[in-house]
DNA sequence: CTGAAAGCGCTTACAG
DNA sequence: CTGAAAGCGCTTACAG
């Protein structure tokens, strides 16, 4: 970003007025243009003499001059801020990504501002508007259902937009997702290979693409094996809490010997339901979760899970975004990245 | 913040040039000063005629004019950005706070940029510098060990600084913490009242005030009851992982009938150690954790925990910070808020 | 009651 | 090889 290493912490010198480009120019008896060129690494390009370069460099270091970020942003329109829009930053999946993404951004001089939509379409629109108004340089978005049009319009702003977690088949944009179909297919085959035949699948009643894909992987694997398919679609926001819906489902289907929860919050509720019913895992029912998280490894028995490659997701998001920002691939066609999941086999799916 | 309601999403109109204050002024044949006054709600104060006010207001709405955030920040020095510095944004405690804090900030037109120090003092200094360079309006900081001087210097910048989670006794600044001493004291008395006498305490080898306070509460309660004190101080970053250190401690102290883990990451490792040793909770050993999190409620048996009032912490942080930002209490003396914890009694501390 | 103008700290064509 | 100047879009003393 800057070509000069600034070692002096500047906020330690509040008392003295902050140094501006004018100060440097005046003290050296040269113009601010020249100082600007040197500071921005355009000295050679502008053919500034070696002598002037070194005098500027020296004084800049001495006085701890840094171009004011606000003035620069105002002038150039670049804020070095990236907007990160998620359902809920407090969910482990998003907060883990937040950590990795921030670290990657950091290395390139960017900062992240985030916001949680809480799954509200209205809120999501407002937040995108706020990001836009604040001139973020790029967007990282877990696309809320029904926001396809807004995101499409955002693309006209020519700022890079990278979707993740979900995508919308009709949107021709960058995205980084995981291979949901293969993830659940592999998990289903794992259960089948361990002798489970009556495998239930718990999902939510939605049109979200990633949830549909997960269901598809399960259905395909079971049909290929000639095993019966049994799906519970939870209605969120209905009067009945999901723990109860799952408990009812399990009671009504006593023949099930395994169940796949298609999201970690469903698995949490599933574990609660199973505990309520007093079922033993894995002897009475085998459990498998989409999206691994700390609890599953620590639970007794530990729970088999389809893990998302968090670090790889973050790395890919940032590689695409930074690539576009640094205009190495500003005009390249959309990069659509699908990462493999990995199955963490644990005690909850022990062979019958 | 703005007195005018802007309903038209502006990012939907990329094609047409963004409207500036000049456009409004030109179209109405008045000066930009007048437009500015009206837009900033200073019309009455500046005694602008009702006629002009309504004409400006109308056109502003019609064209969807919004003052450019970047220009305004540059001019006024206010960025409406708050810097949030934590150990690790992916930890549930911090990410939950991040969610609440963002929501509160949102209501007042502020955005949050965050950074994780990863417990590195050097990193933390750099990050504070970056926040400073970006002209954040305020700081919310989980004070890293050894950064007291830097934070003290930051106070000279006259931007509000609110510490949370930890504080440094010598620093006369705003902070929001919890009552660690009472938290562990209450927890200890709970165990004693349930018939446990040999209660161990697992903490880390640190000078962090909040960890010392937790230890103090435990020690006081046990001494008051005439019960023996037994403390394990984990050395983080040593060759031996903490799970092993805890397992060794438990093996060497077979007389323990309960153990308090003074942080949730210690409890996680503790649960792993207990599982390794094959000890039954709570029959062979009772477990209690400082800092509640989802896993503890779901674990079998569910684990008793000292819960921090996350929403209250966030609300208090923001109340103090926004109060200072809106200069209602710009010069008031430091607000030092200590919030009570609450004990979530669960199966892991069932009476012997 | 309203406007002309300075200025926030930069970057960048343009001129020489 | 370097400088004078315009301008980014605002806010705010100052003048009338």
């Amino acid at each position: 970003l800057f070509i000069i290493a600034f070692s002096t912490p500047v906020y330690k010198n509040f008392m003295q007025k902050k140094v501006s480009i004018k100060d440097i120019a005046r003290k050296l008896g040269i113009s601010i243009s020249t100082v600007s060129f040197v500071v921005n690494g355009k000295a050679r390009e502008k053919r500034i003499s070696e002598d002037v370069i070194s005098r500027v460099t020296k004084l800049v270091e001495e006085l701890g001059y840094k171009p004011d970020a606000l003035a620069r942003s105002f002038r150039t329109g670049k804020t070095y801020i990236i907007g990160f829009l998620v359902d809920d930053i407090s969910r482990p999946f998003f907060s883990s990504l937040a950590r990795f993404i921030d670290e990657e951004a950091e290395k390139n001089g960017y900062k992240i501002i985030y916001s949680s939509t809480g799954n509200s379409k209205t809120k999501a629109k407002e937040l995108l508007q706020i990001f836009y108004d604040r001139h973020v340089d790029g967007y990282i978005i877990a696309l809320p259902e029904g926001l396809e049009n807004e995101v499409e319009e955002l693309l006209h702003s020519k700022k890079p937009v990278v979707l993740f977690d979900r995508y919308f088949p009709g949107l021709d944009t960058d995205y980084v997702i995981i291979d949901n179909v293969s993830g659940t297919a592999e998990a289903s085959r794992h259960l089948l290979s361990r002798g489970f035949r009556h495998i239930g699948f718990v999902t939510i009643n939605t049109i979200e693409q990633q949830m549909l894909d997960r269901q598809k992987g399960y259905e395909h694997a079971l049909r290929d094996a000639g095993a019966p398919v049994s799906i519970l679609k939870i209605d969120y926001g209905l009067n009945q809490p999901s723990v109860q819906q799952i408990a009812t489902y399990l009671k009504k289907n006593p023949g099930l010997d395994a169940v796949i929860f298609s999201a970690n919050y469903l698995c949490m509720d599933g574990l609660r339901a199973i505990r309520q019913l007093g079922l033993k895992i894995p002897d009475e029912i085998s459990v498998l979760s989409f999206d691994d998280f700390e609890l599953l490894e620590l639970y007794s028995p530990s729970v088999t899970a389809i893990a998302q490659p968090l670090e790889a997701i973050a790395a890919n998001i940032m590689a695409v975004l930074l690539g576009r920002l640094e205009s190495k691939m500003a005009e390249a066609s959309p990069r659509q990245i699908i990462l493999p999941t990995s199955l963490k086999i644990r005690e909850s799916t022990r062979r019958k």
Side-chain angles (χ1 to χ4, degrees), chain A:
Chain A
L1 195 48
F2 306 140
I3 50 147
I4 296 156
F6 302 106
S7 51
T8 329
V10 162
Y11 73 77
K12 294 201 171 185
N13 309 320
F14 311 109
M15 298 318 170
Q16 61 225 53
K17 209 177 121 261
K18 238 190 126 180
V19 227
S20 84
I21 195 169
K22 267 187 207 158
D23 300 323
I24 305 287
R26 198 171 344 100
K27 292 208 183 190
L28 292 175
I30 61 176
S31 79
I32 60 166
S33 325
T34 308
V35 178
S36 176
F37 291 140
V38 174
V39 168
N40 289 298
K42 299 195 177 162
R44 317 315 296 272
E45 179 188 324
K46 296 288 176 179
R47 297 188 304 174
I48 310 290
S49 67
E50 288 302 331
D51 173 53
V52 170
I53 295 180
S54 75
R55 281 163 59 214
V56 170
T57 312
K58 188 158 161 291
L59 190 61
V60 160
E61 187 123 9
E62 216 173 291
L63 301 185
Y65 167 71
K66 290 186 213 184
D68 183 78
L70 238 39
R72 201 176 231 178
S73 288
F74 172 56
R75 182 55 235 250
T76 62
K78 275 211 76 166
T79 53
Y80 287 93
I81 291 178
I82 292 167
F84 183 50
L85 191 70
V86 297
D87 288 2
D88 181 349
I89 192 70
S90 73
R91 274 172 42 191
F93 174 67
F94 294 120
S95 62
S96 296
L97 282 181
R99 169 86 201 247
F100 289 130
I101 284 176
D102 178 49
E103 275 168 5
E104 211 53 46
E106 180 84 15
K107 291 179 201 155
N108 295 275
Y110 289 86
K111 293 305 292 176
I112 309 290
I113 59 177
Y114 65 89
S115 274
S116 308
T117 66
N119 256 326
S120 151
K121 193 178 151 184
T122 319
K123 189 89 183 286
K125 277 194 211 178
E126 288 170 14
L127 293 169
L128 282 183
Q129 183 68 54
I130 288 171
F131 285 169
Y132 177 81
D133 290 340
R134 284 187 175 256
H135 300 266
V136 298
D137 288 346
Y139 300 79
I140 301 173
I141 304 175
L143 187 65
E145 208 175 310
L147 220 69
E148 293 76 19
N149 290 339
E150 279 72 12
V151 168
E152 192 163 13
E153 308 224 38
L154 207 50
L155 293 174
H156 297 316
S157 74
K158 297 295 169 203
K159 304 268 171 130
V161 175
V162 179
L163 304 184
F164 74 101
D165 194 36
R166 309 148 211 186
Y167 70 106
F168 185 69
L171 265 185
D172 194 33
T173 176
D174 294 319
Y175 61 72
V176 177
I177 55 171
I178 52 163
D179 190 342
N180 287 290
V181 178
S182 300
T184 43
E186 181 190 4
S188 303
R189 286 193 299 269
H190 161 70
L191 289 170
L192 291 163
S193 77
R194 295 236 163 152
F196 300 99
R197 291 291 293 175
H198 299 276
I199 305 170
F201 188 82
V202 176
T203 183
I204 54 170
N205 201 355
T206 180
I207 56 159
E208 284 175 33
Q209 191 59 41
Q210 86 280 13
M211 296 306 271
L212 300 180
D213 285 348
R214 290 175 193 180
Q215 182 179 330
K216 197 200 279 180
Y218 155 83
E219 288 176 335
H220 285 184
L222 264 67
R223 295 227 163 93
D224 283 355
V229 162
S230 164
I231 298 173
L232 167 65
K233 293 191 182 179
I234 303 240
D235 278 312
Y236 251 83
L238 279 194
N239 32 17
Q240 242 196 359
S242 63
V243 177
Q244 280 324 306
Q245 293 183 54
I246 296 170
T248 305
Y249 168 72
L250 294 177
K251 260 189 291 189
K252 282 195 183 157
N253 295 274
L256 289 180
D257 50 17
V259 60
I260 297 176
F261 295 99
S262 65
N264 59 11
Y265 53 94
L266 292 173
C267 185
M268 305 265 298
D269 287 342
L271 291 174
R272 288 194 180 94
I274 288 169
R275 177 194 291 194
Q276 251 182 40
L277 299 176
L279 295 172
K280 291 270 167 284
I281 303 172
D283 300 322
E284 295 175 312
I285 189 141
S286 185
V287 170
L288 197 152
S289 171
F290 204 109
D291 200 4
D292 195 17
F293 52 119
E294 234 171 357
L295 179 141
L296 299 180
E297 180 250 322
L298 206 58
Y299 201 75
S300 325
S302 58
V303 177
T304 298
I306 301 161
Q308 306 201 43
L310 287 173
E311 201 157 354
I313 293 172
N316 276 280
I317 289 172
M318 292 310 285
V320 172
L321 194 61
L322 293 170
R324 297 228 182 259
L325 287 171
E326 307 301 326
S327 70
K328 283 173 233 153
M329 48 175 273
E331 294 301 318
S333 56
R335 298 268 290 133
Q336 309 187 326
I337 297 168
I338 301 178
L339 299 170
T341 58
S342 61
L343 191 63
K344 306 283 181 193
I345 299 174
R346 304 208 178 94
E347 299 163 2
S348 70
T349 56
R350 207 169 45 215
R351 188 177 299 276
K352 286 183 89 166

